[in-house]
Amino acid sequence: EVQMVESGGDLVQPGGSLRLSCAASGFTFSSYWMHWVRQAPGKGLVWVSHINFDGTIRTYADSVKGRFTISRDNAKSTLYLEMNSLRGDDAALYYCARSRGDYVDQWGQGTLVTVSS
Amino acid sequence: EIVLTQSPATLSLSPGERATLSCRASQSVTRYLAWYQQKPGQAPRLLIYDTSNRATGIPARFSGSGSGTDFTLTISSLEPEDFAVYYCQQRTNWPPLTFGGGTKVEIK
């Protein structure tokens, strides 16, 4: 069974940092591109970042470019999102998402990031 | 960036009725459009990809059509479990991957 379990979400002050993790199982992690997608409370889905199979290609939404860094450890089947200089509009549920043909065919349950002083 | 506009924002229907949801793109996405369903408290689920292909395990009452800039998701006869929010997503020209704002299908 495919599983992706996110962790690392927390309450953080504006300007602070967090590292999200996504532990994947039930599939060959290294064979898939991966995404982070976020959803603010009561709002729609917003793509954040993507990484290719071996981490050599990484792309970001303009709103997070220069502040967030996506990475992966294929030996540990784990996806990461390092978030710095957090702002109020970064508050959201962050989903780890498996890419299939640039769509998302599997989603984690999300980890909640709250940004508040 | 390709902007996807979904309409209506809310669709109020009864079980057994037909639902027709629209997604319009700001420029052509050819046929590279997907639909997702999201129920409260749950992650989204892929329903349709490349305009009209049902994802694994998706019932035949869900169908997709369209091309270029105008796309439709049709639910032929609403089941109680179909009341949810639906999002479209394009993959033609990215980054960024973009999603529509969503259509909520609610019970009338």
Side-chain angles (χ1 to χ4, degrees):
Chain A
E1 180 193 2
V2 171
Q3 274 200 313
M4 295 182 298
V5 179
E6 302 93 335
S7 61
D10 204 348
L11 169 63
V12 62
Q13 292 186 340
S17 299
L18 277 178
R19 188 196 201 199
L20 306 184
S21 299
C22 169
S25 60
F27 65 100
T28 305
F29 181 73
S30 59
S31 297
Y32 289 85
W33 291 18
M34 298 293 294
H35 300 277
W36 287 99
V37 177
R38 69 187 182 186
Q39 186 171 36
K43 302 296 184 182
L45 302 168
V46 177
W47 174 80
V48 174
S49 181
H50 126 271
I51 189 167
N52 74 336
F53 308 110
D54 60 3
T56 53
I57 300 174
R58 312 177 194 200
T59 60
Y60 301 92
D62 285 346
S63 60
V64 307
K65 203 172 293 182
R67 301 186 299 121
F68 290 13
T69 302
I70 190 171
S71 62
R72 66 190 298 162
D73 184 336
N74 286 340
K76 294 182 178 179
S77 296
T78 302
L79 178 71
Y80 302 101
L81 186 68
E82 188 79 38
M83 304 188 295
N84 297 314
S85 304
L86 282 161
R87 313 185 304 217
D89 59 358
D90 294 318
L93 188 64
Y94 282 73
Y95 290 105
C96 168
R98 189 178 81 172
S99 183
R100 181 178 177 189
D102 302 333
Y103 301 120
V104 176
D105 73 337
Q106 294 289 338
W107 301 72
Q109 284 303 305
T111 187
L112 186 64
V113 173
T114 304
V115 182
S116 176
S117 54
Chain B
E1 172 177 331
I2 296 177
V3 176
L4 300 177
T5 302
Q6 291 188 241
S7 61
T10 303
L11 197 53
S12 298
L13 295 167
S14 301
E17 289 193 291
R18 182 184 189 89
T20 303
L21 288 67
S22 174
C23 178
R24 177 163 288 178
S26 59
Q27 62 189 82
S28 176
V29 298
T30 60
R31 291 185 60 81
Y32 297 131
L33 189 106
W35 292 92
Y36 300 86
Q37 177 194 65
Q38 187 177 34
K39 297 178 182 179
Q42 295 186 16
R45 175 175 71 146
L46 179 66
L47 296 176
I48 301 283
Y49 64 95
D50 288 348
T51 296
S52 58
N53 297 296
R54 279 188 300 276
T56 303
I58 302 304
R61 64 180 181 273
F62 291 93
S63 63
S65 62
S67 66
T69 61
D70 290 299
F71 298 85
T72 300
L73 173 70
T74 300
I75 310 171
S76 59
S77 177
L78 282 163
E79 297 287 339
E81 62 267 28
D82 299 337
F83 291 91
V85 180
Y86 293 83
Y87 295 95
C88 56
Q89 177 237 318
Q90 67 81 25
R91 71 171 186 95
T92 290
N93 185 10
W94 74 283
L97 288 177
T98 52
F99 294 87
T103 290
K104 181 180 182 180
V105 179
E106 66 176 21
I107 299 176
K108 187 174 182 180

